[in-house]
Amino acid sequence: MLATLPKIKLVFILGLVFCLHGSLVWGGSFLLSAHGNKDIGVKNINYQAYSRGNCAHCHQQHSTQKDPLVLNNNPFALFASNFDTSSTTGYQQEDDFCFYCHGNPSVQEGGITNYDYARTFGGYTVNGPTTILEAFQQNSFHNLYDIWTFAKNTFSSFFTPYSNPCVACHNPHLVRRIKANVTDPAPYTVVSLPTDHGSLWGDENGERMSDFDPGKYQAPKHYQSGYEPGGNAAVWDGSNLPDYATFCTACHNPVNTIYSTTLGRNLIKIEWVDQGGESGPGDKHGKNSATEDVELKSPYADSNLGISLGFTTSCTDCHEPHGSPNPFLIRREVNGVVVNIDLSQKNGIGWLCRACHMDDHDFDPDIPENSWHHVHHGGGPLIEDPPYPSPVRCGWCHGGPPGANPIPCLNCHQHGLDDSWLQDVYSTYYTGRRCF
Ligand code: HEC
Ligand code: HEC
Ligand code: HEC
Ligand code: HEC
Ligand code: HEC
Ligand code: HEC
Ligand code: HEC
Ligand code: HEC
């Protein structure tokens, strides 16, 4: 391992020389980046001598580090250790170089505020994290140790054993200023595909949600008015949103096996592209289409796209990229609705579904919110294809009298699942329909 150090260090010093001579290794793109910007870019309070946006606010030009351990994890001559690989969960500022600026306190002059996706693009301004460090300190979060492990094994062309897990998704020399352009973030994207780290993803035509599945992406509602991202009232087809479906599936696809320390198991593999209908394996929230009938709320029910079936959603319609008070990085607000999930309740995840789908309360206001008889058992002419019409032996499925005993939704509704849970419980009712 040590043998590779001098080489990386050499590459780095060459880059820095380019910088000092004003001709940049990334062409002019560093100057366009949020970090290289001469007005709002990097300005480390400990390096006042350098002008704003200079590489030296992150890279020490004459490294004084004597501690071999720090040096070991820091061949890029950064002002702090890049990532503490002994930190497997629960983050503090020292664990990651980026947190020194994107945390509170911050060595960036004046500090930096970054809200979560639900606030910046969804418009839900109540509470929530105000820095990236805080975003990773919530109930669920992208485990940085696991990302580091996965990226060094999978994307070794750019990701070294000394790399920073944030760098699996971001190129710090390219990231643009997305938060200042919330209604049209795509040209100002911050992400790079881990399969194409030297370039931004989302900034060019062909890299938008409207390109992922043309004519099928309906932007969710913004919490205040208009559509996501940012409450844009005039654009609702994802042509202003980076294609986060392609971005997230660069890692979460049917091929990669991904271990999660937090969950203590391998993750479900996400199939967002296949269109095999009920025989699967594609998720219906991806390119695969819902079948026959689906009971959706606005803006799906009255979509300007002119379709009522066949929609595709973006991962970020439901998930945060960094962390959330909800489990599984589920957003605090989805489609203009506040979402609070307590998984100790069997129907806890239902609070997410009802942000977009009609529950019994939406059909009949006398029934409490988050009850789901209608879409499963039918209810008048409204529901065309309930999976379990005219049920008998209620307790076989419900485990007791229905009502007090909701069946845990996650038995059937998870990425990749159909209702095969029934095969052990009451197999005559098994439908084999894709449930997510
Ligand atoms: C916001 C902080 C920041 C700024 C500003 C910055 N860098 Fe970096 N740079 C990093 C980090 C972090 C890494 C380590 C990447 C990794 O973890 O793999 C890095 C890595 C590098 C590398 C190694 C190759 C690579 O791309 O990973 C070179 C060369 C480099 N930087 C040069 C520069 C130059 C030249 C500038 C100014 C034009 C600059 N950096 C500005 C944070 C920064
Ligand atoms: C799994 C991929 C992924 C990882 C890992 C990741 N990010 Fe992000 N990050 C994203 C995506 C996607 C966005 C764009 C959406 C948004 O702004 O919320 C983003 C946005 C950001 C933003 C802009 C937020 C704003 O104000 O809108 C910052 C700053 C940022 N990330 C920093 C970091 C840092 C620091 C780390 C490591 C501690 C990190 N990210 C790790 C995917 C990732
Ligand atoms: C020396 C301080 C500093 C360090 C270290 C630093 N950043 Fe930043 N970062 C900034 C500043 C300053 C901005 C732009 C200010 C703002 O938008 O408020 C910024 C902006 C960003 C943005 C764009 C967000 C937006 O929309 O404004 C991303 C993404 C980002 N940083 C990611 C990272 C990642 C990833 C790392 C670590 C590899 C990192 N930063 C390390 C200072 C820093
Ligand atoms: C660079 C690879 C990579 C990318 C890109 C990526 N992830 Fe992940 N993701 C991982 C790894 C590794 C884990 C396992 C660690 C963990 O559980 O946090 C994970 C875990 C998750 C989890 C489960 C976390 C938990 O604890 O419940 C969710 C949800 C998730 N990712 C969603 C997303 C979304 C949404 C995106 C796109 C915005 C995305 N991921 C992009 C690598 C990635
Ligand atoms: C962001 C909005 C959104 C959320 C949140 C959401 N869905 Fe959906 N769901 C949709 C859309 C849009 C479709 C239609 C897809 C299509 O037309 O291909 C759909 C389709 C479905 C289908 C297919 C129905 C059929 O007739 O084939 C099922 C099952 C489903 N969702 C279950 C759920 C469950 C369970 C939850 C909660 C865990 C949930 N959804 C959360 C938007 C959402
Ligand atoms: C094949 C399995 C199955 C059988 C058998 C079944 N149900 Fe259900 N039922 C479901 C599913 C799935 C849901 C949605 C999850 C939930 O809310 O429990 C549901 C929901 C309900 C709900 C709304 C949620 C609640 O618990 O208040 C009621 C009421 C209900 N069923 C009544 C009945 C009655 C009465 C019977 C027997 C005549 C019955 N069910 C038999 C699968 C079944
Ligand atoms: C026994 C398996 C099972 C359980 C448990 C279950 N569901 Fe379903 N659910 C289904 C099936 C099957 C469908 C129909 C999919 C289709 O139409 O192709 C469905 C459909 C749905 C839909 C989409 C309805 C539409 O067409 O708009 C939602 C939303 C939903 N369920 C929510 C829930 C919630 C919330 C719970 C827990 C309270 C739950 N389900 C429990 C099997 C289940
Ligand atoms: C309609 C809302 C919705 C959308 C859209 C969505 N997810 Fe999820 N996701 C969920 C829910 C609910 C869970 C928890 C149940 C489960 O594990 O499937 C989850 C869980 C996950 C997990 C953890 C799986 C595990 O092993 O427990 C990962 C990883 C994940 N999602 C990634 C993605 C990616 C990548 C995308 C886009 C390609 C995406 N999700 C789109 C709702 C959504």
Side-chain angles (χ1 to χ4, degrees), residues 347 360 370-374 376-377 388 390-398 401-409 412 421-422 426 429:
N347 61 353
D360 295 349
N370 199 22
S371 306
W372 296 92
H373 176 278
H374 283 46
H376 296 95
H377 294 311
Y388 317 120
S390 330
V392 290
R393 297 194 178 86
C394 319
W396 286 23
C397 289
H398 283 276
N405 292 291
I407 310 168
C409 318
C412 302
W421 172 76
L422 284 175
Y426 199 170
Y429 274 101

Side-chain angles (χ1 to χ4, degrees), residues 226-261:
Y227 303 95
E228 288 192 1
N232 194 322
V235 184
W236 50 77
D237 65 353
S239 56
N240 54 352
L241 189 68
D243 173 1
Y244 290 127
T246 296
F247 172 71
C248 305
T249 57
C251 294
H252 295 286
N253 56 41
V255 176
N256 292 330
T257 298
I258 305 181
Y259 183 76
S260 167
T261 302

Side-chain angles (χ1 to χ4, degrees), residues 210-230:
S210 53
D211 301 306
F212 178 71
D213 193 4
K216 303 294 175 66
Y217 181 73
Q218 166 65 53
K221 277 190 180 168
H222 183 263
Y223 189 70
Q224 285 152 30
S225 69
Y227 303 95
E228 288 192 1

Side-chain angles (χ1 to χ4, degrees), residues 35 40-41 97-98 101-102 108 112 176-179 190:
H35 289 141
I40 54 98
F97 166 75
C98 312
C101 288
H102 291 277
Q108 170 70 27
I112 307 173
R176 298 204 65 188
R177 207 163 178 240
I178 198 168
K179 74 176 182 197
V190 295

